Amino acid sequence: MKLLINGIWHSSHPDSAQLQTERNRVRTQFFRNWITADASSGYKAEPDRYHLYVSYACPYAHRAILIRKLKKLENIISMSVLSPDWGSPQGWTFASWTDATTDDVNGHDYLYQVYQQAKPDFTGKVTVPVLWDKQKGTIVNYESAEILRMLNCEFNTFGDATIDFYPKDLREEIDQLNDFIGDRISDGVYHAGFASSQEAYDSAVERLFNALNTLEQSLEHKPYLTGDRLTEADLRLFTTLVRFDAVYYTALHCNLQRLADYPNLWNYTRRIYHLPGVAETVKFDHIKRHYFDTYEGIINRRIIPKGPQIDFEL
Ligand SMILES: N[C@@H](CCC(=O)N[C@@H](CS)C(=O)NCC(=O)O)C(=O)O
């Protein structure tokens, strides 16, 4: 496992129950701040103050890229893009690649150095996305769900206030959908792909495709998950579905069916893809490079995939 332990970078460290407990403790205690429009949190929503570190490969970082685009915050919140190669000993790296950038804010070569700068004794994985505060010189937050919510709700003075992806009357439904999508689908593809035993893989795949079947049915008579309006839940689902056939079906062995075999989910994903601005946030060269090239040793190649379902008798 690649991670920082007490601020020291490790390129290959075994996991342990103790380390996991410590990572979970840190995860709830640090870098979970909120930017607010009224400055009550100490992090005021304002232009030119915040910066995103992202990868076009990652579905979680994609949530941040997408909301920045759809809320028209590109001139308000700056962004650095890491190379899709995560396989080097240093993990996420700033390196030459189409549409990747350097770290113009802090001048680092690796993302772990951004974490070290924010908290010199940090323990945990070094993940994207990261929301950085240029004024305080620290990480505000590194949970994509919270970044998505903040950028939707707190920057209306500067971005497009006419669209709201978390409207009051739909919040309960959106929260329920987010829980379902996060656990069963967004994380579900990784549970299948990174399973260390055949049994774990088999049950993860079954759970994932059961969830996809549920959503396929629910989209039978409506364009978006809650009805006519595009919400946060759709954005979260989209960033996983758009990667499905390109990498999850193949590289992560989620191959019972392609997304293209689900009429409703396929149309739904294409519908969102063709909304203004969305296609520009999807970079298949980054996505493929990341999933096929960098998970050596993490994906168990001895696991036998469930699919594809082919019937030669037909
Ligand atoms: N909970 C985080 C998860 C982000 C995450 O897992 N990002 C992956 C890329 S898809 C990552 O950076 N992984 C690095 C690692 O596991 O060391 C979020 O939703 O923001």
Side-chain angles (χ1 to χ4, degrees):
M1 194 172 36
K2 293 172 189 166
L3 85 168
L4 284 165
I5 301 177
N6 296 322
I8 311 281
W9 177 249
H10 295 262
S11 54
S12 173
H13 194 282
D15 205 1
S16 67
Q18 194 189 355
L19 189 52
Q20 216 166 341
T21 309
E22 177 60 5
R23 289 204 325 265
N24 290 342
R25 186 188 69 80
V26 170
R27 189 142 209 111
T28 53
Q29 279 187 10
F30 299 97
F31 307 152
R32 300 296 290 275
N33 301 296
W34 280 79
I35 299 171
T36 54
D38 64 5
S40 57
S41 63
Y43 294 88
K44 183 176 172 14
E46 49 191 328
D48 301 326
R49 174 164 172 181
Y50 300 100
H51 186 77
L52 278 169
Y53 288 103
V54 298
S55 159
Y56 281 118
C58 166
Y60 305 104
H62 195 176
R63 297 170 175 181
I65 300 169
L66 202 48
I67 193 78
R68 173 177 176 265
K69 168 71 79 177
L70 296 178
K71 288 289 285 188
K72 301 194 171 58
L73 291 169
E74 286 167 293
N75 294 326
I76 305 297
I77 299 169
S78 50
M79 187 168 94
S80 296
V81 179
L82 288 137
S83 151
D85 286 322
W86 176 80
S88 79
Q90 291 82 13
W92 289 117
T93 302
F94 295 98
S96 171
W97 187 276
T98 317
D99 295 319
T101 68
T102 51
D103 175 6
D104 290 340
V105 171
N106 292 305
H108 293 306
D109 295 322
Y110 308 110
L111 188 64
Y112 77 78
Q113 297 168 321
V114 173
Y115 280 67
Q116 284 173 327
Q117 188 182 334
K119 185 166 165 39
D121 62 349
F122 181 79
T123 292
K125 289 189 180 185
V126 168
T127 57
V128 283
V130 169
L131 182 58
W132 179 263
D133 180 352
K134 295 188 245 190
Q135 201 178 86
K136 290 190 200 263
T138 194
I139 294 173
V140 182
N141 201 302
Y142 65 153
E143 276 301 336
S144 60
E146 295 176 5
I147 296 172
L148 178 61
R149 183 74 51 82
M150 270 181 248
L151 268 52
N152 175 63
C153 301
E154 305 296 340
F155 283 85
N156 281 330
T157 314
F158 312 104
D160 186 347
T162 64
I163 39 172
D164 181 5
F165 297 109
Y166 193 55
K168 280 205 174 65
D169 58 317
L170 294 177
R171 285 185 182 178
E172 207 175 310
E173 198 180 345
I174 293 170
D175 290 346
Q176 279 170 10
L177 281 161
N178 282 346
D179 285 347
F180 182 81
I181 292 161
D183 174 40
R184 307 276 296 263
I185 297 181
S186 305
D187 295 346
V189 292
Y190 289 97
H191 292 150
F194 293 170
S196 53
S197 69
Q198 187 72 47
E199 293 72 28
Y201 163 80
D202 288 347
S203 79
V205 162
E206 194 180 331
R207 201 159 177 270
L208 168 66
F209 280 88
N210 283 343
L212 289 173
N213 292 340
T214 302
L215 294 180
E216 171 70 6
Q217 278 173 19
S218 90
L219 286 167
E220 183 70 38
H221 298 297
K222 54 191 180 192
Y224 300 115
L225 291 170
T226 59
D228 292 333
R229 280 176 285 173
L230 180 77
T231 71
E232 203 186 72
D234 298 299
L235 301 183
R236 287 166 67 142
L237 180 58
F238 172 77
T239 65
T240 291
L241 294 189
V242 77
R243 286 164 173 71
F244 204 89
D245 289 356
V247 289
Y248 300 146
Y249 182 92
T250 45
L252 298 195
H253 298 167
C254 299
N255 65 354
L256 268 189
Q257 291 207 100
R258 298 174 308 160
L259 190 74
D261 299 323
Y262 285 103
N264 299 331
L265 282 169
W266 179 240
N267 286 335
Y268 165 83
T269 307
R270 285 168 42 85
R271 185 176 303 125
I272 298 175
Y273 182 88
H274 288 292
L275 292 173
V278 173
E280 295 159 50
T281 69
V282 183
K283 310 270 185 209
F284 281 112
D285 56 337
H286 285 238
I287 293 169
K288 284 182 156 175
R289 174 72 176 205
H290 179 73
Y291 284 93
F292 280 99
D293 200 54
T294 65
Y295 287 131
E296 190 64 39
I298 297 180
I299 298 174
N300 183 344
R301 296 287 173 202
R302 299 187 66 192
I303 281 176
I304 299 166
K306 278 251 184 213
Q309 291 179 320
I310 301 164
D311 190 346
F312 282 101
E313 301 307 321
L314 282 178

